Amino acid sequence: MHPAKVDRRHLQHFTDLPNVGKAFAEDLRQLGFSSPAQLAGQDPVQLYDRLCELTRTRQDPCVLDTLISITRFMDGGKPRAWWEYTAERKRMMAGRAK
């Protein structure tokens, strides 16, 4: 869902989350989640790594941006577009590679 349309009071489906459509909702189910509330407190990098393992492919880095956006949102942050996390992800992953 577009971040501007998200209503925190109505989070029953993954597609109610910012930046999540049908395909990404399926990725979240593949990770073992059944509701948006379960994403609170999750580490987006660990989720990304697990998704790469489950799918046996390196996911696009934008997937990590989206995971950051939805875990931050579920931890109380405002709904933001996934690309607003790209610079942070790049810094995070550069530090991880060292």
Side-chain angles (χ1 to χ4, degrees), residues 18-34:
N19 309 300
V20 176
K22 291 178 184 180
F24 202 85
E26 187 54 41
D27 290 340
L28 294 171
R29 283 188 275 282
Q30 189 171 2
L31 284 166
F33 298 105
S34 59

PDB file of all heavy atoms in Angstrom, residues 18-34:
ATOM      1  N   PRO A  18       2.720  -0.232   4.699  1.00  0.00           N
ATOM      2  CA  PRO A  18       3.321   0.613   3.664  1.00  0.00           C
ATOM      3  C   PRO A  18       4.244  -0.205   2.761  1.00  0.00           C
ATOM      4  O   PRO A  18       4.991  -1.061   3.239  1.00  0.00           O
ATOM      5  CB  PRO A  18       4.116   1.652   4.465  1.00  0.00           C
ATOM      6  CG  PRO A  18       4.271   1.099   5.833  1.00  0.00           C
ATOM      7  CD  PRO A  18       3.150   0.136   6.043  1.00  0.00           C
ATOM      8  N   ASN A  19       4.140   0.035   1.475  1.00  0.00           N
ATOM      9  CA  ASN A  19       5.023  -0.548   0.459  1.00  0.00           C
ATOM     10  C   ASN A  19       4.795  -2.033   0.186  1.00  0.00           C
ATOM     11  O   ASN A  19       5.596  -2.650  -0.505  1.00  0.00           O
ATOM     12  CB  ASN A  19       6.499  -0.332   0.841  1.00  0.00           C
ATOM     13  CG  ASN A  19       6.806   1.098   1.162  1.00  0.00           C
ATOM     14  OD1 ASN A  19       6.639   1.968   0.321  1.00  0.00           O
ATOM     15  ND2 ASN A  19       7.210   1.368   2.384  1.00  0.00           N
ATOM     16  N   VAL A  20       3.753  -2.615   0.713  1.00  0.00           N
ATOM     17  CA  VAL A  20       3.526  -4.052   0.548  1.00  0.00           C
ATOM     18  C   VAL A  20       2.357  -4.297  -0.398  1.00  0.00           C
ATOM     19  O   VAL A  20       1.251  -3.809  -0.173  1.00  0.00           O
ATOM     20  CB  VAL A  20       3.257  -4.741   1.910  1.00  0.00           C
ATOM     21  CG1 VAL A  20       2.916  -6.208   1.717  1.00  0.00           C
ATOM     22  CG2 VAL A  20       4.468  -4.586   2.821  1.00  0.00           C
ATOM     23  N   GLY A  21       2.643  -5.062  -1.436  1.00  0.00           N
ATOM     24  CA  GLY A  21       1.621  -5.510  -2.374  1.00  0.00           C
ATOM     25  C   GLY A  21       1.449  -7.016  -2.232  1.00  0.00           C
ATOM     26  O   GLY A  21       1.973  -7.636  -1.305  1.00  0.00           O
ATOM     27  N   LYS A  22       0.741  -7.610  -3.170  1.00  0.00           N
ATOM     28  CA  LYS A  22       0.436  -9.037  -3.089  1.00  0.00           C
ATOM     29  C   LYS A  22       1.693  -9.914  -3.094  1.00  0.00           C
ATOM     30  O   LYS A  22       1.800 -10.866  -2.331  1.00  0.00           O
ATOM     31  CB  LYS A  22      -0.487  -9.454  -4.237  1.00  0.00           C
ATOM     32  CG  LYS A  22      -1.875  -8.891  -4.111  1.00  0.00           C
ATOM     33  CD  LYS A  22      -2.735  -9.299  -5.304  1.00  0.00           C
ATOM     34  CE  LYS A  22      -4.102  -8.651  -5.220  1.00  0.00           C
ATOM     35  NZ  LYS A  22      -4.934  -9.042  -6.369  1.00  0.00           N
ATOM     36  N   ALA A  23       2.640  -9.621  -3.970  1.00  0.00           N
ATOM     37  CA  ALA A  23       3.853 -10.449  -4.069  1.00  0.00           C
ATOM     38  C   ALA A  23       4.679 -10.367  -2.790  1.00  0.00           C
ATOM     39  O   ALA A  23       5.151 -11.391  -2.280  1.00  0.00           O
ATOM     40  CB  ALA A  23       4.685 -10.029  -5.276  1.00  0.00           C
ATOM     41  N   PHE A  24       4.840  -9.168  -2.257  1.00  0.00           N
ATOM     42  CA  PHE A  24       5.633  -9.033  -1.034  1.00  0.00           C
ATOM     43  C   PHE A  24       4.900  -9.646   0.152  1.00  0.00           C
ATOM     44  O   PHE A  24       5.541 -10.204   1.051  1.00  0.00           O
ATOM     45  CB  PHE A  24       5.981  -7.569  -0.773  1.00  0.00           C
ATOM     46  CG  PHE A  24       7.181  -7.421   0.109  1.00  0.00           C
ATOM     47  CD1 PHE A  24       8.451  -7.450  -0.437  1.00  0.00           C
ATOM     48  CD2 PHE A  24       7.056  -7.295   1.475  1.00  0.00           C
ATOM     49  CE1 PHE A  24       9.572  -7.342   0.374  1.00  0.00           C
ATOM     50  CE2 PHE A  24       8.161  -7.188   2.294  1.00  0.00           C
ATOM     51  CZ  PHE A  24       9.432  -7.210   1.743  1.00  0.00           C
ATOM     52  N   ALA A  25       3.585  -9.580   0.155  1.00  0.00           N
ATOM     53  CA  ALA A  25       2.804 -10.232   1.209  1.00  0.00           C
ATOM     54  C   ALA A  25       3.088 -11.730   1.206  1.00  0.00           C
ATOM     55  O   ALA A  25       3.218 -12.354   2.268  1.00  0.00           O
ATOM     56  CB  ALA A  25       1.313  -9.954   1.022  1.00  0.00           C
ATOM     57  N   GLU A  26       3.226 -12.301   0.031  1.00  0.00           N
ATOM     58  CA  GLU A  26       3.551 -13.727  -0.071  1.00  0.00           C
ATOM     59  C   GLU A  26       4.947 -14.001   0.479  1.00  0.00           C
ATOM     60  O   GLU A  26       5.169 -15.017   1.135  1.00  0.00           O
ATOM     61  CB  GLU A  26       3.432 -14.215  -1.515  1.00  0.00           C
ATOM     62  CG  GLU A  26       3.580 -15.698  -1.656  1.00  0.00           C
ATOM     63  CD  GLU A  26       2.646 -16.515  -0.775  1.00  0.00           C
ATOM     64  OE1 GLU A  26       1.452 -16.149  -0.641  1.00  0.00           O
ATOM     65  OE2 GLU A  26       3.107 -17.533  -0.206  1.00  0.00           O
ATOM     66  N   ASP A  27       5.885 -13.099   0.239  1.00  0.00           N
ATOM     67  CA  ASP A  27       7.229 -13.250   0.818  1.00  0.00           C
ATOM     68  C   ASP A  27       7.156 -13.271   2.341  1.00  0.00           C
ATOM     69  O   ASP A  27       7.846 -14.062   2.990  1.00  0.00           O
ATOM     70  CB  ASP A  27       8.148 -12.108   0.374  1.00  0.00           C
ATOM     71  CG  ASP A  27       8.523 -12.171  -1.094  1.00  0.00           C
ATOM     72  OD1 ASP A  27       8.409 -13.256  -1.706  1.00  0.00           O
ATOM     73  OD2 ASP A  27       8.939 -11.127  -1.636  1.00  0.00           O
ATOM     74  N   LEU A  28       6.335 -12.412   2.916  1.00  0.00           N
ATOM     75  CA  LEU A  28       6.190 -12.374   4.372  1.00  0.00           C
ATOM     76  C   LEU A  28       5.583 -13.677   4.899  1.00  0.00           C
ATOM     77  O   LEU A  28       6.007 -14.190   5.937  1.00  0.00           O
ATOM     78  CB  LEU A  28       5.350 -11.166   4.793  1.00  0.00           C
ATOM     79  CG  LEU A  28       5.996  -9.807   4.503  1.00  0.00           C
ATOM     80  CD1 LEU A  28       5.005  -8.678   4.752  1.00  0.00           C
ATOM     81  CD2 LEU A  28       7.258  -9.618   5.328  1.00  0.00           C
ATOM     82  N   ARG A  29       4.621 -14.221   4.165  1.00  0.00           N
ATOM     83  CA  ARG A  29       4.059 -15.520   4.558  1.00  0.00           C
ATOM     84  C   ARG A  29       5.114 -16.614   4.457  1.00  0.00           C
ATOM     85  O   ARG A  29       5.199 -17.495   5.315  1.00  0.00           O
ATOM     86  CB  ARG A  29       2.838 -15.848   3.705  1.00  0.00           C
ATOM     87  CG  ARG A  29       1.585 -15.087   4.127  1.00  0.00           C
ATOM     88  CD  ARG A  29       0.346 -15.578   3.403  1.00  0.00           C
ATOM     89  NE  ARG A  29       0.182 -14.949   2.105  1.00  0.00           N
ATOM     90  CZ  ARG A  29      -0.283 -13.727   1.905  1.00  0.00           C
ATOM     91  NH1 ARG A  29      -0.631 -12.978   2.920  1.00  0.00           N
ATOM     92  NH2 ARG A  29      -0.413 -13.244   0.692  1.00  0.00           N
ATOM     93  N   GLN A  30       5.935 -16.548   3.417  1.00  0.00           N
ATOM     94  CA  GLN A  30       6.997 -17.532   3.251  1.00  0.00           C
ATOM     95  C   GLN A  30       7.992 -17.460   4.415  1.00  0.00           C
ATOM     96  O   GLN A  30       8.566 -18.473   4.812  1.00  0.00           O
ATOM     97  CB  GLN A  30       7.714 -17.310   1.921  1.00  0.00           C
ATOM     98  CG  GLN A  30       8.680 -18.403   1.561  1.00  0.00           C
ATOM     99  CD  GLN A  30       9.210 -18.272   0.147  1.00  0.00           C
ATOM    100  OE1 GLN A  30       8.895 -17.340  -0.586  1.00  0.00           O
ATOM    101  NE2 GLN A  30      10.018 -19.227  -0.254  1.00  0.00           N
ATOM    102  N   LEU A  31       8.162 -16.277   4.969  1.00  0.00           N
ATOM    103  CA  LEU A  31       9.028 -16.108   6.133  1.00  0.00           C
ATOM    104  C   LEU A  31       8.384 -16.645   7.413  1.00  0.00           C
ATOM    105  O   LEU A  31       9.034 -16.684   8.459  1.00  0.00           O
ATOM    106  CB  LEU A  31       9.388 -14.632   6.313  1.00  0.00           C
ATOM    107  CG  LEU A  31      10.433 -14.092   5.344  1.00  0.00           C
ATOM    108  CD1 LEU A  31      10.468 -12.576   5.376  1.00  0.00           C
ATOM    109  CD2 LEU A  31      11.803 -14.678   5.683  1.00  0.00           C
ATOM    110  N   GLY A  32       7.123 -17.032   7.332  1.00  0.00           N
ATOM    111  CA  GLY A  32       6.453 -17.632   8.482  1.00  0.00           C
ATOM    112  C   GLY A  32       5.516 -16.721   9.242  1.00  0.00           C
ATOM    113  O   GLY A  32       4.986 -17.103  10.288  1.00  0.00           O
ATOM    114  N   PHE A  33       5.286 -15.529   8.727  1.00  0.00           N
ATOM    115  CA  PHE A  33       4.383 -14.592   9.401  1.00  0.00           C
ATOM    116  C   PHE A  33       2.957 -14.784   8.904  1.00  0.00           C
ATOM    117  O   PHE A  33       2.738 -15.129   7.745  1.00  0.00           O
ATOM    118  CB  PHE A  33       4.825 -13.147   9.150  1.00  0.00           C
ATOM    119  CG  PHE A  33       6.186 -12.842   9.702  1.00  0.00           C
ATOM    120  CD1 PHE A  33       7.282 -12.727   8.868  1.00  0.00           C
ATOM    121  CD2 PHE A  33       6.376 -12.700  11.067  1.00  0.00           C
ATOM    122  CE1 PHE A  33       8.545 -12.471   9.365  1.00  0.00           C
ATOM    123  CE2 PHE A  33       7.640 -12.439  11.586  1.00  0.00           C
ATOM    124  CZ  PHE A  33       8.723 -12.329  10.727  1.00  0.00           C
ATOM    125  N   SER A  34       2.017 -14.545   9.793  1.00  0.00           N
ATOM    126  CA  SER A  34       0.612 -14.649   9.403  1.00  0.00           C
ATOM    127  C   SER A  34      -0.154 -13.351   9.646  1.00  0.00           C
ATOM    128  O   SER A  34      -1.311 -13.244   9.243  1.00  0.00           O
ATOM    129  CB  SER A  34      -0.068 -15.808  10.142  1.00  0.00           C
ATOM    130  OG  SER A  34       0.024 -15.623  11.543  1.00  0.00           O
TER     131      SER A  34
END
